[in-house]
Amino acid sequence: MDAGDRPARLAVGVLGAGRVGSALGAALAQAGHRIVAASGVSDRSQRRAAERLGVQTSPPEAVVAAAELILVTVPDDALPDLVAGLAATGADLRGKLMVHASGAFGLSVLDPAARAGALPLALHPVMTFTGRDDDLNRLTGISYGVTSPEPLRPIAEALVIEMGGEPVWIADADRALYHAALAGAANHMVTLIAESSELLGRIGVEHPGRMLAPLLGAALDNVLRLGMAGLTGPVVRGDAGTVRKHVDALILAAPEAADAYIALARLTADRALAAGLLKPEEAERLLDALGGNIWT
């Protein structure tokens, strides 16, 4: 990136010094920007503001007044009301960058601030944040879903690059689908693995994680490299009898898990059929085993 493409060193205010805000704020500070203020309600947010950002928490109005770049990292459900509320108070937003880190929202959520003169950006880090100290280290090399008005695109992309990330342009109309794809992969994977670990624990496996780790690592590597061609297991083999045994066992042990298994097996069979990995007659047997229609 040319020196002329780099945004000037900015005074940064963080609205919501939680897991995401404190990590992104710290990344901006490492890039040479100045954290001048932060807001946070919970004790944890106040501690993160002090420990990660080096500031004490202030009311949102004070954060906005002190900042040239306002990083809005409150929970998604609170984002519209916060932005609208700040604009309604008459806070001076003219010429200030207002950046939210939500995956699901695009630019429209920042419209009240934009009408008041703010410069809206959506920079969503494609990473999970736990609040632990290694959150900041995980930012290096990750993708960011970037959405902005076209004139602000160089600034948005430069900020991402400064934080050690890779900007990936997402059209404003595609933000919800973009976030659904990410959440479906990451969040649901956690639920599935936790469920599998619990089921293994019920039957006496002392270290489910140790058993699952090599299998899951290989499966993840396969799908990222090969796509559906990396699929293995009873569904793609057309082993309807095995699939039925799975369903019967889960109905007895964990009925809620059985419902999820059936839904995912149907989706897996549908995709395998479409990819030519599963023959139609095998799909029919799986249909009977799963108790529903997999044809689309």
Side-chain angles (χ1 to χ4, degrees):
M1 181 173 60
D2 295 336
D5 294 332
R6 295 172 64 90
R9 303 303 89 192
L10 298 168
V12 178
V14 180
L15 291 177
R19 299 175 180 181
V20 178
S22 61
L24 295 184
L28 288 169
Q30 285 188 351
H33 300 286
R34 296 179 296 111
I35 307 299
V36 294
S39 68
V41 177
S42 70
D43 291 341
R44 288 181 178 179
S45 292
Q46 293 173 16
R47 285 199 303 272
R48 289 188 184 111
E51 295 171 1
R52 289 187 174 183
L53 306 179
V55 296
Q56 299 299 313
T57 53
S58 307
E61 296 81 2
V63 175
V64 171
E68 297 166 309
L69 186 160
I70 305 161
L71 182 61
V72 188
T73 46
V74 296
D76 283 2
D77 286 351
L79 183 57
D81 287 345
L82 176 63
V83 175
L86 285 173
T89 65
D92 187 3
L93 299 173
R94 292 172 297 175
K96 298 189 176 188
L97 292 166
M98 180 168 279
V99 182
H100 78 66
S102 167
F105 281 110
L107 297 179
S108 62
V109 73
L110 298 177
D111 280 350
R115 288 193 293 269
L119 307 175
L121 306 176
L123 307 179
H124 173 247
V126 184
M127 179 48 61
T128 181
F129 295 86
T130 65
R132 299 170 65 89
D133 292 339
D134 58 358
D135 279 349
L136 184 57
N137 296 332
R138 289 179 172 177
L139 292 177
T140 302
I142 69 169
S143 297
Y144 284 72
V146 174
T147 305
S148 76
E150 189 60 33
L152 298 179
R153 183 167 176 171
I155 295 175
E157 293 180 344
L159 287 169
V160 168
I161 292 169
E162 285 192 327
M163 289 188 287
E166 177 185 354
V168 179
W169 186 256
I170 306 296
D172 193 68
D174 293 334
R175 294 287 293 199
L177 185 58
Y178 152 80
H179 194 242
L182 297 177
N187 302 161
H188 298 166
M189 179 181 69
V190 171
T191 302
L192 287 170
I193 295 172
E195 184 73 24
S196 295
S197 297
E198 182 178 322
L199 292 172
L200 290 170
R202 288 190 195 180
I203 61 172
V205 176
E206 293 187 6
H207 303 290
R210 188 182 302 171
M211 176 180 284
L212 288 169
L215 172 66
L216 297 176
L220 181 60
D221 179 67
N222 286 343
V223 69
L224 292 178
R225 287 189 301 108
L226 306 172
M228 282 301 292
L231 180 64
T232 64
V235 171
V236 74
R237 292 195 300 265
D239 289 341
T242 298
V243 168
R244 185 67 241 179
K245 287 181 181 179
H246 292 175
V247 172
D248 291 342
L250 287 168
I251 287 173
L252 291 175
E256 69 287 349
D259 291 340
Y261 180 97
I262 290 169
L264 288 170
R266 285 161 57 89
L267 180 59
T268 301
D270 190 47
R271 292 185 64 89
L273 185 63
L277 302 173
L278 191 65
K279 296 177 181 178
E281 59 270 22
E282 294 171 332
E284 289 290 354
R285 290 195 295 271
L286 286 167
L287 165 65
D288 293 337
L290 293 169
N293 195 342
I294 65 171
W295 298 91
T296 58

